[in-house]
């Protein structure tokens, strides 16, 4: 009997040793997947869209699209906090790719300095932002996308204010409008915009502005080409009484403080009398090409462009814009043939609420637009230097929202 009991004890210990060896030899990346899936669930619960993740041999990669916060930098900071709390990978980098309409815009990379950096409270100062993806997007783009942004509708109300000082006996003539717009993406990179302008107060801007009429009616396609070339093609009705097609390209250089950009438009004149469109078949080519320098210490961008404006005059345009958390402020100066020199100021402010919000599945989400801006024409030039915006959402803050230097500086301020 004692001999039989002894055999049972030995067998029990052997099973313990066996399972212990299996536990130690279990692939580490499988355990990492459990944590990664938990992080994805938290990101989705926070309201982030187009969420993916993959654990590769040399790096762990996440993708998100910020639809949870009005300020992109705030959304990125919250996403990084969730990733860090869930645990950073051991002995390899962790990368977060930020997308817009499911097109990759920039990446933030955490590189551990030692094995001890695989912790739950990594330092946010150590996340490095860049336009460069280093092949990470190719690894993850075919992974299953959670909480897709496709077919989700935003109804955004754009408040628009215009004023001019042309009459001696009157300080300002003013036009104030609410311009709600429906925006929806039907496939990656695409956005459909339909806008209506509703006059609230009109003093001196003509009878046409007294009527409710369409604003931007556009379909656009964003894309990213090899060598970090970003582009957007837009077709439809723009502002400044123009319709047609517009193509813009942007390319950051190896030193990402420097970049070049180009734009070409083929547009004609068209204006609305209520909901009746009057248009001219005479289409004209407009273009601009130039370079930018970004001063990270002060979040200030300097731009110099050669440009052909809407009336066909060719000239140059200089801009200096400083970007803050809730606003972008700057000035511009222009000189074109047949026209006197002109300049002025630009203001763009982020509209509240600034806290977290998320869309309820496919129920249309109603909110104010992210920004509101004013251009002050100090030279009072009324004929020349005319331009247009291809999309209702185009503005200087939106254009800078994925600048890696700006993102890094704002991460430290939240």
């Amino acid at each position: 009997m004692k001999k039989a009991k002894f055999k049972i004890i030995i067998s029990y210990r052997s099973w313990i040793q066996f399972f212990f060896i299996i536990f130690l030899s279990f692939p580490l990346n499988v355990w990492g997947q459990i944590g990664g899936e938990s992080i994805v669930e938290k990101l989705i619960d926070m309201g982030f869209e187009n969420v993916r993740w993959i654990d590769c041999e040399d790096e762990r990669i996440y993708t998100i699209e910020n639809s949870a916060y009005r300020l992109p930098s705030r959304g990125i900071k919250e996403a990084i906090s969730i990733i860090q709390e869930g645990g950073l990978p051991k002995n390899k980098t962790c990368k977060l790719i930020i997308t817009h309409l499911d097109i990759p815009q920039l990446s933030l990379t955490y590189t551990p300095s030692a094995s001890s950096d695989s912790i739950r409270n990594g330092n946010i100062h150590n996340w490095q932002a860049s336009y460069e993806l280093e092949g990470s997007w190719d690894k993850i783009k075919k992974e299953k996308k959670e909480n897709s942004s496709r077919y989700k509708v935003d109804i955004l109300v754009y408040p628009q204010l215009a004023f001019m000082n042309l009459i001696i006996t009157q300080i300002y003539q003013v036009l104030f409008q609410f311009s709600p717009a429906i925006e929806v993406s039907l496939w990656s990179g695409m956005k459909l915009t339909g806008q209506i302008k509703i006059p609230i107060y009109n003093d001196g801007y003509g009878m046409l502005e007294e009527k409710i009429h369409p604003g931007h009616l556009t379909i656009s396609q964003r894309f990213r080409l090899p060598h970090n070339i970003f582009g957007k093609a837009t077709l439809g009705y723009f502002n400044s009484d123009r319709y047609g097609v517009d193509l813009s390209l942007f390319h950051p250089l190896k030193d990402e403080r420097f970049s070049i950009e180009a734009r070409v438009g083929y547009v004609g004149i068209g204006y609305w009398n209520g909901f009746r469109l009057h248009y001219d078949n005479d289409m004209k080519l407009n273009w601009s090409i130039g370079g930018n320098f970004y001063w990270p210490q002060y979040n200030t961008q300097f731009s110099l462009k050669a440009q052909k404006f809407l009336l066909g005059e060719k000239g140059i345009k200089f801009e200096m814009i400083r970007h803050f958390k809730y606003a972008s402020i700057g000035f511009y100066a222009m000189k074109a043939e047949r026209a006197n020199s002109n300049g002025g100021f630009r203001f763009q402010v982020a509209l509240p609420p600034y806290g977290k919000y998320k869309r309820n599945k496919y129920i249309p989400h109603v909110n104010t637009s992210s920004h509101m801006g004013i251009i002050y024409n100090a030279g009072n030039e009324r004929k020349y230097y005319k331009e247009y915006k291809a999309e209702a959402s185009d503005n200087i803050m939106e254009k800078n929202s994925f600048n890696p230097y700006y993102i890094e500086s704002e991460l430290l301020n939240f």
Side-chain angles (χ1 to χ4, degrees):
M1 294 296 294
K2 292 182 179 179
K3 187 175 182 181
K5 184 178 180 180
F6 179 75
K7 288 182 178 180
I8 293 173
I9 294 173
I10 293 298
S11 178
Y12 177 70
R13 290 178 176 176
S14 298
W15 278 108
I16 293 176
Q17 292 174 352
F18 175 76
F19 282 114
F20 183 70
I21 292 172
I22 293 297
F23 176 82
L24 292 178
S25 61
F26 201 80
L28 292 177
N29 62 337
V30 175
W31 295 111
Q33 288 178 359
I34 297 175
E37 291 171 356
S38 177
I39 291 172
V40 167
E41 291 177 0
K42 290 182 179 179
L43 290 170
I44 294 173
D45 185 64
M46 289 288 288
F48 293 103
E49 297 176 339
N50 297 334
V51 182
R52 304 179 182 87
W53 93 284
I54 190 173
D55 209 6
C56 304
E57 183 178 353
D58 57 340
E59 63 178 345
R60 181 179 295 175
I61 312 168
Y62 297 90
T63 73
I64 64 163
E65 187 151 324
N66 174 43
S67 58
Y69 294 87
R70 306 299 294 275
L71 302 176
S73 52
R74 174 71 181 275
I76 293 172
K77 193 268 182 183
E78 295 297 333
I80 288 176
S81 298
I82 293 172
I83 292 171
Q84 291 183 160
E85 290 171 2
L88 296 168
K90 187 176 183 179
N91 296 329
K92 58 183 177 182
T93 60
C94 185
K95 183 166 290 185
L96 175 63
I97 297 177
I98 311 300
T99 67
H100 179 53
L101 299 177
D102 204 31
I103 302 297
Q105 301 297 314
L106 80 158
S107 67
L108 293 99
T109 305
Y110 188 95
T111 304
S113 58
S115 59
S116 60
D117 280 347
S118 179
I119 54 178
R120 290 182 178 270
N121 56 347
N123 194 332
I124 199 168
H125 299 81
N126 293 335
W127 289 82
Q128 302 296 317
S130 174
Y131 291 113
E132 184 61 55
L133 302 180
E134 298 176 338
S136 299
W137 177 250
D138 293 331
K139 298 177 184 177
I140 197 172
K141 64 183 180 181
K142 294 183 179 180
E143 294 296 314
K144 183 180 178 181
K145 181 173 53 180
E146 303 288 347
N147 196 25
S148 173
S149 63
R150 194 172 299 179
Y151 310 125
K152 292 183 178 179
V153 177
D154 284 306
I155 301 176
L156 301 177
V157 180
Y158 289 80
Q160 297 178 326
L161 174 66
F163 56 91
M164 56 186 175
N165 183 7
L166 301 176
I167 302 176
I168 298 177
T169 57
Q170 186 175 351
I171 298 179
Y172 285 110
Q173 295 168 282
V174 177
L175 174 65
F176 181 61
Q177 299 173 317
F178 280 141
S179 302
I182 296 177
E183 299 180 356
V184 61
S185 177
L186 304 181
W187 59 80
S188 293
M190 175 269 191
K191 184 167 76 171
L192 178 67
T193 301
Q195 186 181 45
I196 295 293
K197 293 190 173 184
I198 303 173
I200 305 300
Y201 181 79
N202 179 14
D203 180 12
Y205 276 79
M207 293 299 297
L208 294 179
E209 297 297 341
E210 291 283 352
K211 301 178 181 180
I212 297 176
H213 61 280
H216 282 86
L217 301 174
T218 60
I219 181 171
S220 64
Q221 177 66 50
R222 289 162 174 79
F223 53 89
R224 177 170 179 154
L225 302 176
H227 308 293
N228 298 335
I229 298 175
F230 299 82
K232 183 178 73 170
T234 308
L235 173 69
Y237 185 83
F238 311 143
N239 70 341
S240 298
D241 297 331
R242 291 299 188 276
Y243 72 95
V245 61
D246 179 83
L247 173 66
S248 60
L249 298 171
F250 171 78
H251 174 55
L253 302 182
K254 186 174 182 180
D255 183 342
E256 293 181 342
R257 296 175 301 171
F258 297 89
S259 60
I260 55 177
E261 60 181 319
R263 181 178 183 182
V264 60
Y266 189 60
V267 298
I269 298 175
Y271 67 91
W272 294 94
N273 185 354
F275 286 87
R276 185 179 181 86
L277 178 63
H278 301 265
Y279 63 94
D280 190 337
N281 289 323
D282 184 20
M283 307 285 285
K284 294 183 179 180
L285 193 68
N286 302 276
W287 51 262
S288 69
I289 185 169
N292 309 298
F293 171 73
Y294 196 84
W295 192 2
Q297 184 177 356
Y298 296 102
N299 280 326
T300 301
Q301 180 169 309
F302 301 88
S303 302
L304 182 63
K305 303 174 186 175
Q307 187 165 347
K308 183 180 179 183
F309 297 92
L310 290 181
L311 293 183
E313 73 277 23
K314 300 174 184 177
I316 57 173
K317 181 178 181 179
F318 170 79
E319 289 183 291
M320 185 187 79
I321 300 171
R322 184 167 185 182
H323 300 280
F324 301 90
K325 181 181 299 184
Y326 299 108
S328 295
I329 302 172
F331 70 88
Y332 65 94
M334 301 181 288
K335 180 65 180 79
E337 56 187 2
R338 308 192 310 272
N340 295 325
S341 300
N342 192 42
F345 302 92
R346 302 190 67 173
F347 305 89
Q348 198 79 32
V349 295
L351 298 178
Y354 304 119
K356 184 173 76 71
Y357 71 97
K358 63 179 181 180
R359 290 186 281 214
N360 186 7
K361 296 183 179 180
Y362 290 93
I363 298 176
H365 183 267
V366 182
N367 208 337
T368 58
S369 61
S370 299
H371 310 95
M372 177 180 178
I374 294 176
I375 299 176
Y376 182 74
N377 178 7
N380 201 25
E381 174 59 58
R382 301 181 60 190
K383 181 178 179 181
Y384 296 106
Y385 302 113
K386 301 297 182 182
E387 303 175 75
Y388 62 85
K389 289 198 314 179
E391 273 192 313
S393 58
D394 288 346
N395 60 71
I396 54 177
M397 286 191 76
E398 188 270 343
K399 188 177 180 180
N400 190 62
S401 59
F402 298 112
N403 185 310
Y405 293 103
Y406 176 75
I407 293 296
E408 284 188 5
S409 66
E410 288 301 302
L411 289 180
L412 305 181
N413 294 328
F414 279 108

Short mmCIF file of all heavy atoms in Angstrom, two decimals, residues 48 64 66 69-81 96 98 106 108 124 324-326 354 397 400-414:
data_model
loop_
_atom_site.label_atom_id
_atom_site.label_comp_id
_atom_site.label_asym_id
_atom_site.label_seq_id
_atom_site.Cartn_x
_atom_site.Cartn_y
_atom_site.Cartn_z
N PHE A 48 -12.69 56.12 -30.09
CA PHE A 48 -11.78 56.14 -31.23
C PHE A 48 -12.27 55.18 -32.30
O PHE A 48 -12.85 54.13 -32.01
CB PHE A 48 -10.36 55.77 -30.79
CG PHE A 48 -9.72 56.79 -29.89
CD1 PHE A 48 -9.63 56.56 -28.52
CD2 PHE A 48 -9.24 57.97 -30.39
CE1 PHE A 48 -9.06 57.49 -27.67
CE2 PHE A 48 -8.66 58.92 -29.56
CZ PHE A 48 -8.58 58.68 -28.20
N ILE A 64 -5.31 54.41 -34.78
CA ILE A 64 -6.56 55.01 -34.30
C ILE A 64 -6.92 56.18 -35.20
O ILE A 64 -6.07 56.74 -35.89
CB ILE A 64 -6.45 55.53 -32.84
CG1 ILE A 64 -5.43 56.68 -32.77
CG2 ILE A 64 -6.14 54.43 -31.87
CD1 ILE A 64 -5.54 57.52 -31.52
N ASN A 66 -9.01 59.77 -34.47
CA ASN A 66 -9.59 60.53 -33.36
C ASN A 66 -10.93 61.13 -33.77
O ASN A 66 -10.99 62.09 -34.53
CB ASN A 66 -8.63 61.65 -32.92
CG ASN A 66 -9.27 62.54 -31.88
OD1 ASN A 66 -9.92 62.06 -30.95
ND2 ASN A 66 -9.10 63.84 -32.02
N TYR A 69 -12.39 63.52 -29.55
CA TYR A 69 -12.02 64.82 -28.99
C TYR A 69 -11.93 65.85 -30.10
O TYR A 69 -11.47 65.56 -31.21
CB TYR A 69 -10.67 64.74 -28.25
CG TYR A 69 -10.71 63.87 -27.02
CD1 TYR A 69 -10.49 62.50 -27.10
CD2 TYR A 69 -10.99 64.41 -25.76
CE1 TYR A 69 -10.54 61.69 -25.97
CE2 TYR A 69 -11.03 63.62 -24.62
CZ TYR A 69 -10.81 62.26 -24.74
OH TYR A 69 -10.87 61.48 -23.62
N ARG A 70 -12.33 67.08 -29.79
CA ARG A 70 -12.28 68.16 -30.79
C ARG A 70 -10.84 68.51 -31.15
O ARG A 70 -10.55 68.86 -32.29
CB ARG A 70 -12.99 69.42 -30.27
CG ARG A 70 -14.41 69.20 -29.80
CD ARG A 70 -15.30 68.70 -30.94
NE ARG A 70 -15.47 69.67 -31.99
CZ ARG A 70 -16.38 70.64 -31.98
NH1 ARG A 70 -17.20 70.76 -30.96
NH2 ARG A 70 -16.49 71.47 -32.98
N LEU A 71 -9.94 68.44 -30.16
CA LEU A 71 -8.54 68.77 -30.40
C LEU A 71 -7.77 67.48 -30.68
O LEU A 71 -7.70 66.60 -29.82
CB LEU A 71 -7.93 69.48 -29.19
CG LEU A 71 -8.63 70.78 -28.77
CD1 LEU A 71 -7.99 71.33 -27.51
CD2 LEU A 71 -8.56 71.82 -29.89
N PRO A 72 -7.17 67.33 -31.87
CA PRO A 72 -6.45 66.09 -32.20
C PRO A 72 -5.36 65.75 -31.19
O PRO A 72 -5.20 64.58 -30.84
CB PRO A 72 -5.86 66.38 -33.58
CG PRO A 72 -6.77 67.41 -34.17
CD PRO A 72 -7.22 68.26 -33.01
N SER A 73 -4.61 66.75 -30.71
CA SER A 73 -3.54 66.48 -29.76
C SER A 73 -4.08 65.91 -28.46
O SER A 73 -3.46 65.06 -27.82
CB SER A 73 -2.73 67.75 -29.49
OG SER A 73 -3.58 68.82 -29.11
N ARG A 74 -5.25 66.38 -28.03
CA ARG A 74 -5.87 65.84 -26.82
C ARG A 74 -6.26 64.37 -27.02
O ARG A 74 -6.04 63.53 -26.14
CB ARG A 74 -7.11 66.67 -26.46
CG ARG A 74 -7.93 66.12 -25.29
CD ARG A 74 -7.25 66.26 -23.96
NE ARG A 74 -8.03 65.71 -22.88
CZ ARG A 74 -9.00 66.37 -22.23
NH1 ARG A 74 -9.31 67.62 -22.59
NH2 ARG A 74 -9.65 65.81 -21.24
N GLY A 75 -6.83 64.05 -28.18
CA GLY A 75 -7.19 62.68 -28.46
C GLY A 75 -5.98 61.76 -28.50
O GLY A 75 -6.02 60.64 -27.97
N ILE A 76 -4.89 62.21 -29.13
CA ILE A 76 -3.68 61.40 -29.20
C ILE A 76 -3.11 61.16 -27.81
O ILE A 76 -2.67 60.04 -27.49
CB ILE A 76 -2.64 62.10 -30.11
CG1 ILE A 76 -3.15 62.10 -31.55
CG2 ILE A 76 -1.29 61.39 -30.02
CD1 ILE A 76 -2.30 62.92 -32.49
N LYS A 77 -3.12 62.18 -26.97
CA LYS A 77 -2.60 62.03 -25.61
C LYS A 77 -3.41 61.00 -24.84
O LYS A 77 -2.85 60.16 -24.12
CB LYS A 77 -2.63 63.39 -24.92
CG LYS A 77 -1.83 63.44 -23.62
CD LYS A 77 -2.65 63.12 -22.40
CE LYS A 77 -1.84 63.22 -21.12
NZ LYS A 77 -2.62 62.84 -19.93
N GLU A 78 -4.74 61.03 -24.96
CA GLU A 78 -5.57 60.07 -24.24
C GLU A 78 -5.33 58.65 -24.76
O GLU A 78 -5.32 57.69 -23.98
CB GLU A 78 -7.04 60.45 -24.40
CG GLU A 78 -7.42 61.78 -23.76
CD GLU A 78 -7.23 61.78 -22.25
OE1 GLU A 78 -7.31 60.69 -21.64
OE2 GLU A 78 -7.02 62.87 -21.68
N ALA A 79 -5.15 58.49 -26.07
CA ALA A 79 -4.88 57.18 -26.63
C ALA A 79 -3.55 56.62 -26.13
O ALA A 79 -3.44 55.44 -25.78
CB ALA A 79 -4.88 57.25 -28.16
N ILE A 80 -2.52 57.47 -26.07
CA ILE A 80 -1.23 57.04 -25.55
C ILE A 80 -1.34 56.62 -24.09
O ILE A 80 -0.75 55.62 -23.66
CB ILE A 80 -0.19 58.16 -25.72
CG1 ILE A 80 0.18 58.32 -27.19
CG2 ILE A 80 1.07 57.88 -24.89
CD1 ILE A 80 1.12 59.46 -27.48
N SER A 81 -2.11 57.34 -23.30
CA SER A 81 -2.30 57.00 -21.89
C SER A 81 -2.92 55.61 -21.75
O SER A 81 -2.51 54.82 -20.89
CB SER A 81 -3.17 58.05 -21.20
OG SER A 81 -2.56 59.32 -21.22
N LEU A 96 2.18 54.08 -32.62
CA LEU A 96 0.79 54.49 -32.78
C LEU A 96 0.67 55.28 -34.06
O LEU A 96 1.29 56.35 -34.20
CB LEU A 96 0.34 55.32 -31.57
CG LEU A 96 -1.07 55.92 -31.64
CD1 LEU A 96 -2.13 54.83 -31.71
CD2 LEU A 96 -1.32 56.85 -30.46
N ILE A 98 -1.68 57.48 -36.56
CA ILE A 98 -2.89 58.29 -36.56
C ILE A 98 -3.40 58.39 -37.99
O ILE A 98 -2.66 58.76 -38.90
CB ILE A 98 -2.62 59.70 -36.00
CG1 ILE A 98 -1.84 59.62 -34.68
CG2 ILE A 98 -3.93 60.46 -35.83
CD1 ILE A 98 -2.55 58.85 -33.59
N LEU A 106 0.44 60.39 -39.56
CA LEU A 106 1.72 60.44 -38.86
C LEU A 106 1.79 59.28 -37.89
O LEU A 106 0.80 58.60 -37.62
CB LEU A 106 1.92 61.77 -38.13
CG LEU A 106 1.23 61.94 -36.77
CD1 LEU A 106 1.92 63.02 -35.95
CD2 LEU A 106 -0.23 62.30 -36.94
N LEU A 108 3.58 57.93 -33.98
CA LEU A 108 4.27 58.23 -32.73
C LEU A 108 4.89 56.94 -32.24
O LEU A 108 4.22 55.91 -32.14
CB LEU A 108 3.31 58.79 -31.68
CG LEU A 108 2.74 60.17 -32.00
CD1 LEU A 108 1.35 60.05 -32.58
CD2 LEU A 108 2.74 61.07 -30.78
N ILE A 124 5.42 59.99 -21.40
CA ILE A 124 4.86 60.51 -22.64
C ILE A 124 5.87 61.37 -23.39
O ILE A 124 5.76 61.57 -24.60
CB ILE A 124 3.57 61.30 -22.35
CG1 ILE A 124 2.73 61.44 -23.63
CG2 ILE A 124 3.88 62.67 -21.74
CD1 ILE A 124 1.35 61.94 -23.41
N PHE A 324 -1.43 77.93 -31.50
CA PHE A 324 -1.62 77.68 -30.08
C PHE A 324 -2.56 76.50 -29.90
O PHE A 324 -3.02 75.90 -30.88
CB PHE A 324 -2.18 78.93 -29.39
CG PHE A 324 -1.32 80.15 -29.53
CD1 PHE A 324 -1.49 81.02 -30.60
CD2 PHE A 324 -0.33 80.42 -28.60
CE1 PHE A 324 -0.70 82.15 -30.73
CE2 PHE A 324 0.48 81.54 -28.72
CZ PHE A 324 0.29 82.41 -29.79
N LYS A 325 -2.88 76.16 -28.66
CA LYS A 325 -3.74 75.02 -28.40
C LYS A 325 -5.15 75.26 -28.94
O LYS A 325 -5.73 74.39 -29.60
CB LYS A 325 -3.80 74.72 -26.91
CG LYS A 325 -4.67 73.51 -26.56
CD LYS A 325 -4.73 73.28 -25.06
CE LYS A 325 -3.35 72.99 -24.50
NZ LYS A 325 -3.39 72.67 -23.06
N TYR A 326 -5.70 76.44 -28.71
CA TYR A 326 -7.08 76.73 -29.07
C TYR A 326 -7.21 77.75 -30.20
O TYR A 326 -8.32 78.14 -30.52
CB TYR A 326 -7.85 77.25 -27.85
CG TYR A 326 -7.90 76.26 -26.71
CD1 TYR A 326 -7.16 76.47 -25.55
CD2 TYR A 326 -8.69 75.12 -26.78
CE1 TYR A 326 -7.21 75.57 -24.49
CE2 TYR A 326 -8.75 74.22 -25.73
CZ TYR A 326 -8.01 74.45 -24.59
OH TYR A 326 -8.05 73.55 -23.55
N TYR A 354 -14.67 71.15 -25.66
CA TYR A 354 -13.37 70.55 -25.86
C TYR A 354 -13.24 69.17 -25.22
O TYR A 354 -12.22 68.51 -25.37
CB TYR A 354 -12.28 71.46 -25.28
CG TYR A 354 -12.32 72.86 -25.87
CD1 TYR A 354 -12.54 73.96 -25.06
CD2 TYR A 354 -12.13 73.06 -27.23
CE1 TYR A 354 -12.57 75.25 -25.58
CE2 TYR A 354 -12.17 74.34 -27.77
CZ TYR A 354 -12.38 75.43 -26.94
OH TYR A 354 -12.42 76.69 -27.47
N MET A 397 -5.87 75.81 -39.02
CA MET A 397 -5.73 74.91 -37.87
C MET A 397 -5.86 73.45 -38.29
O MET A 397 -5.09 72.59 -37.86
CB MET A 397 -6.76 75.23 -36.79
CG MET A 397 -6.48 76.50 -36.00
SD MET A 397 -7.54 76.67 -34.53
CE MET A 397 -6.75 75.49 -33.43
N ASN A 400 -2.77 72.16 -39.93
CA ASN A 400 -1.64 71.93 -39.03
C ASN A 400 -1.89 70.83 -38.00
O ASN A 400 -1.02 70.52 -37.19
CB ASN A 400 -1.31 73.24 -38.29
CG ASN A 400 -0.01 73.18 -37.52
OD1 ASN A 400 1.06 73.00 -38.10
ND2 ASN A 400 -0.08 73.32 -36.21
N SER A 401 -3.07 70.24 -38.01
CA SER A 401 -3.47 69.34 -36.93
C SER A 401 -2.64 68.07 -36.85
O SER A 401 -2.60 67.41 -35.80
CB SER A 401 -4.95 68.98 -37.07
OG SER A 401 -5.20 68.36 -38.32
N PHE A 402 -1.95 67.67 -37.95
CA PHE A 402 -1.12 66.47 -37.92
C PHE A 402 0.36 66.80 -38.06
O PHE A 402 1.16 65.93 -38.42
CB PHE A 402 -1.56 65.51 -39.02
CG PHE A 402 -2.97 65.02 -38.86
CD1 PHE A 402 -3.96 65.40 -39.76
CD2 PHE A 402 -3.32 64.20 -37.80
CE1 PHE A 402 -5.26 64.96 -39.61
CE2 PHE A 402 -4.63 63.77 -37.64
CZ PHE A 402 -5.60 64.15 -38.55
N ASN A 403 0.73 68.03 -37.77
CA ASN A 403 2.15 68.41 -37.78
C ASN A 403 2.85 67.74 -36.60
O ASN A 403 2.47 67.95 -35.45
CB ASN A 403 2.26 69.94 -37.67
CG ASN A 403 3.68 70.42 -37.79
OD1 ASN A 403 4.59 69.93 -37.11
ND2 ASN A 403 3.90 71.41 -38.64
N PRO A 404 3.87 66.91 -36.83
CA PRO A 404 4.48 66.16 -35.72
C PRO A 404 5.10 67.04 -34.65
O PRO A 404 5.06 66.70 -33.46
CB PRO A 404 5.53 65.28 -36.41
CG PRO A 404 5.76 65.92 -37.75
CD PRO A 404 4.47 66.56 -38.13
N TYR A 405 5.68 68.18 -35.03
CA TYR A 405 6.27 69.08 -34.03
C TYR A 405 5.18 69.70 -33.16
O TYR A 405 5.35 69.85 -31.94
CB TYR A 405 7.08 70.17 -34.72
CG TYR A 405 8.31 69.67 -35.43
CD1 TYR A 405 8.33 69.53 -36.82
CD2 TYR A 405 9.45 69.32 -34.71
CE1 TYR A 405 9.45 69.05 -37.47
CE2 TYR A 405 10.59 68.84 -35.36
CZ TYR A 405 10.57 68.71 -36.74
OH TYR A 405 11.69 68.23 -37.39
N TYR A 406 4.07 70.06 -33.78
CA TYR A 406 2.97 70.63 -33.01
C TYR A 406 2.38 69.59 -32.07
O TYR A 406 2.08 69.88 -30.90
CB TYR A 406 1.91 71.15 -33.98
CG TYR A 406 0.66 71.68 -33.30
CD1 TYR A 406 0.68 72.91 -32.67
CD2 TYR A 406 -0.52 70.94 -33.29
CE1 TYR A 406 -0.46 73.40 -32.03
CE2 TYR A 406 -1.65 71.42 -32.67
CZ TYR A 406 -1.61 72.66 -32.04
OH TYR A 406 -2.74 73.13 -31.40
N ILE A 407 2.20 68.37 -32.54
CA ILE A 407 1.65 67.30 -31.71
C ILE A 407 2.55 67.05 -30.51
O ILE A 407 2.07 66.94 -29.36
CB ILE A 407 1.47 66.01 -32.53
CG1 ILE A 407 0.38 66.20 -33.59
CG2 ILE A 407 1.15 64.83 -31.62
CD1 ILE A 407 -0.99 66.46 -33.04
N GLU A 408 3.85 66.95 -30.71
CA GLU A 408 4.77 66.70 -29.60
C GLU A 408 4.70 67.80 -28.57
O GLU A 408 4.69 67.54 -27.35
CB GLU A 408 6.21 66.56 -30.12
CG GLU A 408 6.51 65.22 -30.78
CD GLU A 408 7.98 65.06 -31.08
OE1 GLU A 408 8.78 65.95 -30.70
OE2 GLU A 408 8.35 64.04 -31.69
N SER A 409 4.66 69.04 -29.01
CA SER A 409 4.62 70.15 -28.04
C SER A 409 3.31 70.18 -27.27
O SER A 409 3.30 70.45 -26.07
CB SER A 409 4.82 71.49 -28.77
OG SER A 409 3.72 71.77 -29.62
N GLU A 410 2.19 69.85 -27.95
CA GLU A 410 0.90 69.86 -27.27
C GLU A 410 0.73 68.69 -26.30
O GLU A 410 0.01 68.80 -25.32
CB GLU A 410 -0.23 69.87 -28.29
CG GLU A 410 -0.38 71.19 -29.03
CD GLU A 410 -0.63 72.33 -28.07
OE1 GLU A 410 -1.62 72.28 -27.32
OE2 GLU A 410 0.16 73.28 -28.05
N LEU A 411 1.37 67.56 -26.58
CA LEU A 411 1.29 66.43 -25.66
C LEU A 411 1.85 66.79 -24.29
O LEU A 411 1.40 66.27 -23.27
CB LEU A 411 2.06 65.23 -26.23
CG LEU A 411 1.45 64.52 -27.43
CD1 LEU A 411 2.33 63.36 -27.86
CD2 LEU A 411 0.03 64.05 -27.14
N LEU A 412 2.82 67.68 -24.26
CA LEU A 412 3.43 68.06 -23.00
C LEU A 412 2.59 69.07 -22.22
O LEU A 412 2.84 69.30 -21.04
CB LEU A 412 4.82 68.66 -23.26
CG LEU A 412 5.78 67.79 -24.06
CD1 LEU A 412 7.11 68.50 -24.22
CD2 LEU A 412 5.97 66.44 -23.41
N ASN A 413 1.60 69.66 -22.88
CA ASN A 413 0.82 70.74 -22.25
C ASN A 413 -0.48 70.25 -21.65
O ASN A 413 -1.15 71.01 -20.94
CB ASN A 413 0.52 71.84 -23.27
CG ASN A 413 1.79 72.54 -23.72
OD1 ASN A 413 2.74 72.66 -22.96
ND2 ASN A 413 1.81 73.00 -24.96
N PHE A 414 -0.90 69.01 -21.98
CA PHE A 414 -2.16 68.52 -21.43
C PHE A 414 -1.91 67.87 -20.06
O PHE A 414 -0.89 67.24 -19.84
CB PHE A 414 -2.81 67.50 -22.38
CG PHE A 414 -3.56 68.16 -23.50
CD1 PHE A 414 -3.06 68.13 -24.78
CD2 PHE A 414 -4.76 68.80 -23.25
CE1 PHE A 414 -3.77 68.71 -25.82
CE2 PHE A 414 -5.46 69.40 -24.29
CZ PHE A 414 -4.96 69.35 -25.57
#
